[in-house]
Amino acid sequence: MSAELDALYQEIILDHYKNPHHQGLRDPFEAEVHHVNPTCGDEVTLRVHLTDGPDGPVVDDVSYDALGCSISQAATSVMTDLVIGKSVAEAMDVHAEFLTLMQGKGTVEPDEEVLEDGIAFAGVAKFPARVKCALLGWMAWKDATTQTLTNGDDQ
Amino acid sequence: MSAELDALYQEIILDHYKNPHHQGLRDPFEAEVHHVNPTCGDEVTLRVHLTDGPDGPVVDDVSYDALGCSISQAATSVMTDLVIGKSVAEAMDVHAEFLTLMQGKGTVEPDEEVLEDGIAFAGVAKFPARVKCALLGWMAWKDATTQTLTNGDDQ
Amino acid sequence: MIDGLLPDLEVVRKDFPILTRTTPAGLPLVYLDSANTSQKPQVVIDAMVDHLERHNANVARAMHLLGAEATEAFEGGRDRVASFLGAPSREEVVFTKNASEALNLLANTFAWAGEHQLGPGDVVVTTEMEHHSNIVPWQLVTERTGAELRWFGLTDDGQLDLTNIDELLTEHTKVVTLTWVSNMLGTINPVAEITRRAHEVGAVVVLDASQAAPQLPIDLAAMPEAERPDALVFTGHKTVGPTGIGVLWGSRALLESLPPFLGGGEMIETVTMERSTYAGIPHKFEAGTPPIVEAVGLGAALEYLDGIGMEAIQRHEQAITGYALEGLATVPGLKVLGPTDAHARGGAVSFEIDGVHPHDVAQVLDSRGVAVRAGHHCAKPAHARFGVQSSSRMSSYLYTTPADIDALVEALNYTRSYFTLG
Amino acid sequence: MIDGLLPDLEVVRKDFPILTRTTPAGLPLVYLDSANTSQKPQVVIDAMVDHLERHNANVARAMHLLGAEATEAFEGGRDRVASFLGAPSREEVVFTKNASEALNLLANTFAWAGEHQLGPGDVVVTTEMEHHSNIVPWQLVTERTGAELRWFGLTDDGQLDLTNIDELLTEHTKVVTLTWVSNMLGTINPVAEITRRAHEVGAVVVLDASQAAPQLPIDLAAMPEAERPDALVFTGHKTVGPTGIGVLWGSRALLESLPPFLGGGEMIETVTMERSTYAGIPHKFEAGTPPIVEAVGLGAALEYLDGIGMEAIQRHEQAITGYALEGLATVPGLKVLGPTDAHARGGAVSFEIDGVHPHDVAQVLDSRGVAVRAGHHCAKPAHARFGVQSSSRMSSYLYTTPADIDALVEALNYTRSYFTLG
Ligand SMILES: Cc1ncc(COP(=O)(O)O)c(C=O)c1O
Ligand SMILES: Cc1ncc(COP(=O)(O)O)c(C=O)c1O
């Protein structure tokens, strides 16, 4: 059973949990969202700061304040590593790739090139109750980013 | 199976069904009620006319207009035979006796002295779905009588 | 051999344990009350037993092994409903306790603040052939909001009278709610046409598919959008599933725009004493512990029906209904209420027999092992329309055989001879 | 041997087939999530199977053999509920789909015209330890009617804070609704005292007995009238019955004075297109096909509990809870939320472990076969009151053994060593 647990709680996950990257809420930001996992109560408040790049908007910063389990905390930390500095289009691709991994029930082979530390979550896909934990931060990021872009359009 | 049916559909019941006694709505009356069996839709409109007797009020007339199955029609007809001419107190006793018979699931021995043609309904008590049919007219009579007496008190 | 019957009828019958029952007098059971509730195949019972004996737990909230298994089984039931209806999205499938609750859910959420809130001047349109469950909720909501309830009448041959459709469907019409198949008359209504017309005036269309879902193939996604209802309901126990579960399918647009109905566990996003926010669909409408073992049973039931094929079931129903209409026509003094063309109607056939009250018909039939329904079938206005207070109704399903119909006809003749006319 | 345990505990356990299950890793199942939902004894499953295989039909409306059998079985379930609660009358027992619907039924009927209609100036009082299902319905109804929602706070040791009772219970207070036993803190509230005080100001008292009914003997008829609630709800699946059924008991006076909730079949007296009248209680509140096989299952469940005896079950729960509290106290860094005297509390024990999130606790426990709940247990305000966002909860029932508790404690120590502190 320890093997089963170890598949879920990879070292990388526990490291990010204990030392989360990019934590805290920072200025400047264009959108702030608050997401909750209704079943368990895990919460994240997340801000996105985009800047203009040559190929469209770029994720300049993602900052957050989160309450939750090891999986949701670590996934949010890894997410910030993956999206900050990328163009929104690239970051959305990474998001799609991570979503596919999470929804694959353990059958999808993760691509380390794209997902980097995110591959540590491959084991989570086998625990349906925890998939939502791993996606909480990502959903918040996507929501905040979409809001920023839409508001931008409105202006 | 014919025996089972015959236990339900006694000759007396079919006779009353084909030739109901005291049918039609008549004047005078003190109360008119409309009762429905919600499950099947059987209906009765019933009037009661009470007069004063030496030992309290007497059932002078019960008149009615009914739509329903053989059991409900026949039971209403028998009921009028049993209550008309009796004091309300006596008639209520007969009502109680009939109710006991109907709720006895076939275990109560009917008293012909009291129930007269009403003993034909002994078999109905074994058919829970039909007990309500047999009681429809009685319930209406009791309701109308109670209303009359209560209104009388108010005056 | 009658054309259109299920080829494996005897095999199908073996799937239903209750069909081997006999009456106390030792007669075989002839169950012709399936429009009231259907019988259950062994696979449905087994699925429920397996769930209760091996996988029972509460759903969504539980993270442990049994909780994960129960959640998967429960949500698997939702997937099965979605595919049974051809629902554009599984999230549009809400579990209720029965069809009646689904209709009340809609009526109630139209009462409260929101895009669709009803008020004075607004009109809700229903029909005179509805089940009480598609009349009373709308009476309550129109009375409580000051809106007006109007309805399509019926023609003498039991069809919707559409001659005044332009008066009924106007810009004031906010909701049009009607049954796809009548549970009393058997009529199949032109729901695509009415939906299109209702959509033209901007009304929300609600279809009561309680009698349609057991009998007709339904494919929501394949319907042209203008003809697709905004909501559709059916009930588990009529589709060989258990009691205690019903289905509300609603388009995402409709469901998202309605306020919550019941409040409580499972339907929230966050709760403080001062204020709550709500979960997304379908959970927003599923307060409290849902019908878990019932969803498992319903999933197995719809899988069973899909396995046989809804087209095949529809053909079987038509064949049996045609055979029944022929048989009933041989009984002197018997009058069928509703359409008499088996291809243009569902499998519920209501009738009267001169001089014998429906209760008495049902009673005599029951003494011969034949189970039919007698009364108003929760459709008093439709009975009133035809000047009758009650009727007898036979209704068939995928396990009904021509021999069942023969037994009915014979028992009806016996009824006449036994009862008044003998 | 611990004092108070059920003498036949091993025999009782044999009644519950799921308890022989093992995890994929081959470990025995240690089910400590009974406050979430209880497991089902074989007799309940068998009663449901027998009904579906031999007696299935719709109730009330059907006059045939199966219809009569089904009606008797269904109404027999109501009789059993009435005797389980000591209800003054069986007609005061209304079947709903779960406890949440029962609470919503009340909240909704207080919204509509009638003797009890809420409006601006009226106050509804609840408490900070309620399940969301006893908060959100009252938020919705007060918001929709303009009434005000107020609540009892909690003391640091997890009791209701009654110091401001005179401010909360005034002549403006129309409804007081509270849980008998908290599903998060385990607290048993002084419901007789609060009911008496609420009645003094003329308020209707609603008791959420969802956690009390499984654990405490209840005898409504034996309560002094001033201390008897006006309504009490519980849910089938927590009292070893199936999902899909809940119970609303209401005094005749209250139920008769409330307007209908859901409209439809079974709840009517007569229906015309223009207007309907309604059946008497309990049917007035039971629209549509009721949970029939569920009532059969619930009847068997309560018969099973009564057979063992609710006093004996209560003693067992107290003994196990006491043993659990002792065991939990040995785990370093573990803090129990709520009362720590086993005699003054129910069997749900929520706790925190320093440095390990409840999800992670539950996950590690699950890998050892121990099923507990992690999260907010549908009691976010109570969690917020204690400054926590979520907790882990173990909850026992009549089949729980001291060995289950030992396994929990051992697994908790393993969790600490595995997870962060190892
Ligand atoms: C105290 C309390 N009230 C209400 C409920 C709601 O019960 P249900 O989900 O069956 O409606 C629960 C259980 O979840 C509970 O513990
Ligand atoms: C057409 C129709 N609508 C609604 C219903 C109500 O279904 P339920 O009683 O399961 O809520 C029925 C069946 O009784 C029906 O035939």
Side-chain angles (χ1 to χ4, degrees):
Chain A
M1 62 205 149
S2 213
E4 187 201 325
L5 273 188
D6 293 345
L8 177 65
Y9 294 118
Q10 302 270 324
E11 269 317 304
I12 306 182
I13 294 184
L14 297 181
D15 286 349
H16 275 275
Y17 177 41
K18 287 176 201 154
N19 302 298
H21 304 178
H22 303 105
Q23 206 182 19
L25 291 170
R26 288 179 295 278
D27 289 322
F29 65 97
E30 291 79 42
E32 175 179 303
V33 298
H34 181 73
H35 275 222
V36 178
N37 178 340
T39 359
C40 62
D42 279 3
E43 298 176 44
V44 63
T45 305
L46 182 142
R47 294 177 178 177
V48 164
H49 173 47
L50 304 185
T51 49
D52 282 336
D55 309 319
V58 170
V59 184
D60 198 295
D61 192 22
V62 177
S63 65
Y64 62 94
D65 189 17
L67 262 174
C69 65
S70 56
I71 305 293
S72 78
Q73 301 270 45
T76 305
S77 167
V78 170
M79 181 269 293
T80 58
D81 283 352
L82 284 171
V83 300
I84 293 175
K86 289 211 173 70
S87 76
V88 168
E90 284 169 322
M92 286 286 180
D93 286 348
V94 180
H95 170 246
E97 183 98 7
F98 189 73
L99 204 61
T100 308
L101 177 64
M102 285 299 99
Q103 293 173 341
K105 299 191 172 171
T107 62
V108 176
E109 198 55 51
D111 181 348
E112 184 158 8
E113 291 281 287
V114 181
L115 292 180
E116 303 175 19
D117 277 6
I119 62 166
F121 293 85
V124 176
K126 283 185 219 131
F127 295 83
R130 306 304 293 275
V131 168
K132 279 189 206 158
C133 308
L135 292 176
L136 182 66
W138 281 96
M139 294 301 173
W141 169 76
K142 192 184 172 189
D143 184 13
T145 304
T146 316
Q147 282 185 25
T148 306
L149 295 176
T150 331
N151 289 347
D153 288 354
D154 291 351
Q155 285 156 15
Chain B
M1 64 204 149
S2 213
E4 187 202 325
L5 273 187
D6 294 345
L8 178 65
Y9 294 119
Q10 302 271 324
E11 269 318 304
I12 305 180
I13 295 184
L14 297 180
D15 286 349
H16 275 275
Y17 177 41
K18 287 174 200 156
N19 302 297
H21 304 179
H22 305 105
Q23 206 181 18
L25 292 169
R26 288 180 296 278
D27 290 322
F29 65 96
E30 292 78 40
E32 177 179 303
V33 298
H34 181 73
H35 275 221
V36 178
N37 178 338
T39 358
C40 62
D42 280 3
E43 297 178 42
V44 62
T45 307
L46 183 142
R47 294 176 177 178
V48 164
H49 173 46
L50 304 184
T51 50
D52 282 336
D55 309 318
V58 170
V59 184
D60 199 294
D61 193 20
V62 178
S63 65
Y64 64 93
D65 191 15
L67 264 173
C69 65
S70 56
I71 305 292
S72 79
Q73 300 270 44
T76 305
S77 168
V78 169
M79 181 268 293
T80 58
D81 283 353
L82 284 171
V83 301
I84 293 175
K86 289 211 173 68
S87 74
V88 168
E90 284 168 324
M92 286 287 179
D93 285 349
V94 181
H95 170 247
E97 182 98 8
F98 189 74
L99 204 63
T100 308
L101 176 64
M102 284 300 98
Q103 293 172 342
K105 299 190 172 169
T107 62
V108 176
E109 197 56 52
D111 182 347
E112 183 158 9
E113 290 281 288
V114 180
L115 292 180
E116 302 174 20
D117 277 6
I119 63 165
F121 292 86
V124 177
K126 282 183 220 130
F127 295 82
R130 306 306 292 276
V131 167
K132 278 189 204 159
C133 308
L135 292 176
L136 182 66
W138 282 97
M139 293 300 173
W141 170 75
K142 192 182 170 190
D143 184 12
T145 304
T146 315
Q147 282 186 25
T148 306
L149 295 177
T150 331
N151 289 345
D153 287 355
D154 290 352
Q155 285 156 14
Chain C
M1 182 72 182
I2 301 158
D3 222 42
L5 291 187
L6 282 176
D8 297 330
L9 188 49
E10 280 315 310
V11 182
V12 167
R13 285 180 65 84
K14 290 220 171 63
D15 292 335
F16 292 81
I18 210 169
L19 298 180
T20 61
R21 264 221 43 186
T22 52
T23 71
L27 296 168
L29 176 70
V30 177
Y31 186 74
L32 291 170
D33 197 17
S34 290
N36 197 354
T37 202
S38 62
Q39 295 303 341
K40 320 303 170 206
Q42 194 69 53
V43 283
V44 168
I45 302 171
D46 290 350
M48 293 171 72
V49 168
D50 181 58
H51 180 82
L52 292 173
E53 287 186 355
R54 299 183 41 80
H55 309 292
N56 174 68
N58 214 324
V59 296
R61 357 165 140 173
M63 322 209 111
H64 46 66
L65 177 72
L66 294 182
E69 291 176 0
T71 304
E72 193 174 328
F74 172 68
E75 293 297 339
R78 196 188 309 275
D79 288 330
R80 176 51 71 172
V81 172
S83 86
F84 182 76
L85 295 177
S89 156
R90 71 183 301 279
E91 294 173 357
E92 296 171 338
V93 173
V94 174
F95 286 123
T96 61
K97 68 176 179 180
N98 53 25
S100 303
E101 190 198 8
L103 293 164
N104 278 278
L105 185 162
L106 292 169
N108 270 271
T109 50
F110 284 123
W112 300 120
E115 186 186 325
H116 294 286
Q117 186 172 25
L118 295 170
D122 291 337
V123 172
V124 173
V125 174
T126 182
T127 90
E128 213 175 351
M129 67 164 80
E130 299 307 308
H131 189 279
H132 294 161
S133 293
N134 203 22
I135 299 174
V136 182
W138 305 103
Q139 288 180 334
L140 290 170
V141 69
T142 49
E143 193 186 295
R144 288 164 174 177
T145 58
E148 191 191 347
L149 185 64
R150 304 192 62 188
W151 52 89
F152 287 105
L154 305 182
T155 64
D156 289 340
D157 56 347
Q159 305 288 343
L160 287 182
D161 177 0
L162 299 178
T163 50
N164 61 342
I165 189 165
D166 291 330
E167 279 160 55
L168 287 171
L169 305 188
T170 70
E171 80 267 33
H172 301 293
T173 311
K174 294 295 181 268
V175 181
V176 177
T177 182
L178 79 160
T179 194
W180 190 333
V181 178
S182 158
N183 72 314
M184 179 213 163
L185 301 166
T187 320
I188 302 180
N189 288 318
V191 293
E193 161 76 4
I194 295 173
T195 302
R196 205 170 34 71
R197 299 286 293 271
H199 280 166
E200 278 164 21
V201 299
V204 168
V205 176
V206 178
L207 281 194
D208 178 358
S210 299
Q211 295 293 338
Q215 298 183 36
L216 310 178
I218 298 180
D219 190 349
L220 288 162
M223 297 178 183
E225 210 175 309
E227 296 178 359
R228 189 188 304 148
D230 303 284
L232 176 149
V233 313
F234 73 96
T235 196
H237 66 93
K238 294 193 209 273
T239 53
V240 309
T243 52
I245 189 162
V247 169
L248 163 64
W249 169 84
S251 72
R252 178 179 297 274
L254 179 67
L255 293 183
E256 286 185 342
S257 67
L258 292 173
F261 175 42
L262 307 182
E266 315 302 345
M267 58 71 76
I268 58 100
E269 181 185 65
T270 189
V271 174
T272 63
M273 291 310 288
E274 290 77 15
R275 168 175 329 99
S276 300
T277 56
Y278 309 114
I281 66 167
H283 304 293
K284 177 168 91 174
F285 294 109
E286 294 181 347
T289 300
I292 303 170
V293 69
E294 292 78 6
V296 170
L298 181 59
L302 300 183
E303 186 174 349
Y304 178 82
L305 294 181
D306 279 338
I308 292 178
M310 288 307 298
E311 282 84 3
I313 291 172
Q314 182 177 25
R315 274 195 303 278
H316 181 78
E317 281 279 273
Q318 284 181 356
I320 287 287
T321 306
Y323 187 69
L325 288 168
E326 280 170 31
L328 293 174
T330 66
V331 180
L334 186 147
K335 198 178 122 220
V336 167
L337 300 158
T340 48
D341 171 3
H343 291 271
R345 69 179 338 283
V349 183
S350 300
F351 56 86
E352 292 186 283
I353 298 183
D354 265 1
V356 194
H357 187 278
H359 274 192
D360 296 317
V361 172
Q363 191 80 55
V364 179
L365 260 49
D366 186 48
S367 78
R368 322 264 300 179
V370 180
V372 301
R373 186 168 172 188
H376 50 63
H377 321 321
C378 300
K380 279 198 155 217
H383 278 87
R385 163 64 181 79
F386 291 99
V388 297
Q389 174 226 22
S390 62
S391 63
S392 306
R393 182 184 74 183
M394 65 133 279
S395 53
S396 53
Y397 205 17
L398 74 162
Y399 39 68
T400 307
T401 64
D404 289 340
I405 304 297
D406 295 341
L408 167 70
V409 171
E410 197 227 292
L412 286 169
N413 282 313
Y414 176 79
T415 305
R416 279 178 39 86
S417 71
Y418 176 85
F419 203 73
T420 41
L421 319 160
Chain D
M1 180 73 182
I2 299 157
D3 221 43
L5 291 187
L6 282 177
D8 298 331
L9 187 50
E10 280 313 312
V11 182
V12 167
R13 283 180 67 84
K14 290 219 172 64
D15 291 336
F16 292 81
I18 209 168
L19 297 181
T20 60
R21 264 216 50 181
T22 52
T23 71
L27 296 169
L29 176 71
V30 176
Y31 186 74
L32 291 171
D33 197 17
S34 290
N36 197 354
T37 201
S38 62
Q39 296 302 343
K40 319 305 170 204
Q42 195 69 52
V43 285
V44 168
I45 301 169
D46 290 350
M48 293 172 72
V49 168
D50 181 60
H51 180 83
L52 292 173
E53 287 187 355
R54 298 182 41 80
H55 310 291
N56 175 66
N58 215 322
V59 295
R61 356 167 139 171
M63 322 208 110
H64 45 68
L65 177 71
L66 294 182
E69 291 176 357
T71 305
E72 195 175 325
F74 172 68
E75 292 298 338
R78 197 188 308 275
D79 288 331
R80 176 51 70 175
V81 172
S83 85
F84 182 76
L85 296 177
S89 155
R90 72 183 300 280
E91 294 173 359
E92 296 171 338
V93 173
V94 174
F95 285 123
T96 61
K97 69 177 178 179
N98 51 26
S100 302
E101 189 197 9
L103 293 164
N104 278 277
L105 185 163
L106 292 169
N108 271 270
T109 52
F110 285 121
W112 301 119
E115 186 185 324
H116 294 287
Q117 186 172 25
L118 294 170
D122 292 337
V123 171
V124 173
V125 174
T126 183
T127 88
E128 213 175 351
M129 68 164 78
E130 299 307 308
H131 189 279
H132 294 161
S133 292
N134 203 23
I135 298 174
V136 183
W138 305 103
Q139 288 179 333
L140 289 171
V141 68
T142 49
E143 192 185 294
R144 287 164 175 178
T145 59
E148 189 191 348
L149 185 64
R150 305 193 61 190
W151 52 88
F152 287 103
L154 306 182
T155 63
D156 289 339
D157 55 348
Q159 305 289 342
L160 287 181
D161 177 0
L162 299 177
T163 50
N164 61 342
I165 189 166
D166 291 330
E167 278 160 57
L168 287 171
L169 305 188
T170 71
E171 80 266 34
H172 301 293
T173 310
K174 294 296 182 263
V175 180
V176 176
T177 183
L178 78 160
T179 195
W180 190 330
V181 178
S182 158
N183 72 313
M184 180 213 163
L185 301 165
T187 321
I188 301 180
N189 287 319
V191 293
E193 162 76 5
I194 295 174
T195 302
R196 204 168 38 70
R197 298 286 293 270
H199 280 166
E200 279 165 17
V201 298
V204 169
V205 176
V206 177
L207 281 193
D208 178 357
S210 299
Q211 295 292 340
Q215 298 185 35
L216 309 178
I218 298 181
D219 190 348
L220 288 162
M223 296 178 184
E225 211 174 309
E227 296 178 359
R228 189 188 303 147
D230 302 285
L232 175 150
V233 313
F234 73 96
T235 197
H237 66 92
K238 293 193 210 273
T239 54
V240 309
T243 53
I245 190 163
V247 169
L248 164 64
W249 169 83
S251 72
R252 178 179 296 275
L254 178 68
L255 292 184
E256 287 185 343
S257 67
L258 293 174
F261 174 43
L262 307 181
E266 315 302 344
M267 58 70 78
I268 59 99
E269 180 186 65
T270 189
V271 174
T272 63
M273 291 309 288
E274 290 78 15
R275 170 175 323 99
S276 301
T277 57
Y278 310 113
I281 65 166
H283 304 294
K284 177 167 91 173
F285 294 110
E286 293 181 349
T289 300
I292 303 171
V293 69
E294 291 79 6
V296 170
L298 181 59
L302 300 183
E303 186 174 347
Y304 178 82
L305 293 182
D306 279 338
I308 292 178
M310 289 306 298
E311 281 84 4
I313 291 171
Q314 182 178 22
R315 272 195 304 276
H316 181 78
E317 281 279 272
Q318 284 181 356
I320 287 287
T321 306
Y323 187 70
L325 288 168
E326 280 170 31
L328 293 175
T330 66
V331 180
L334 186 147
K335 197 179 122 215
V336 167
L337 300 158
T340 47
D341 170 4
H343 291 271
R345 69 180 338 281
V349 183
S350 299
F351 56 85
E352 292 184 282
I353 298 183
D354 266 0
V356 194
H357 187 279
H359 273 193
D360 296 316
V361 172
Q363 191 80 56
V364 180
L365 261 47
D366 186 48
S367 77
R368 320 261 304 176
V370 179
V372 300
R373 186 168 173 188
H376 50 62
H377 323 319
C378 299
K380 280 197 156 219
H383 278 86
R385 163 64 179 80
F386 291 98
V388 297
Q389 174 226 21
S390 63
S391 63
S392 307
R393 182 185 74 182
M394 65 134 277
S395 53
S396 53
Y397 204 17
L398 75 162
Y399 38 69
T400 306
T401 64
D404 289 339
I405 303 299
D406 294 341
L408 167 70
V409 171
E410 196 226 292
L412 285 170
N413 282 313
Y414 176 79
T415 304
R416 279 177 39 87
S417 71
Y418 176 84
F419 203 71
T420 41
L421 319 160

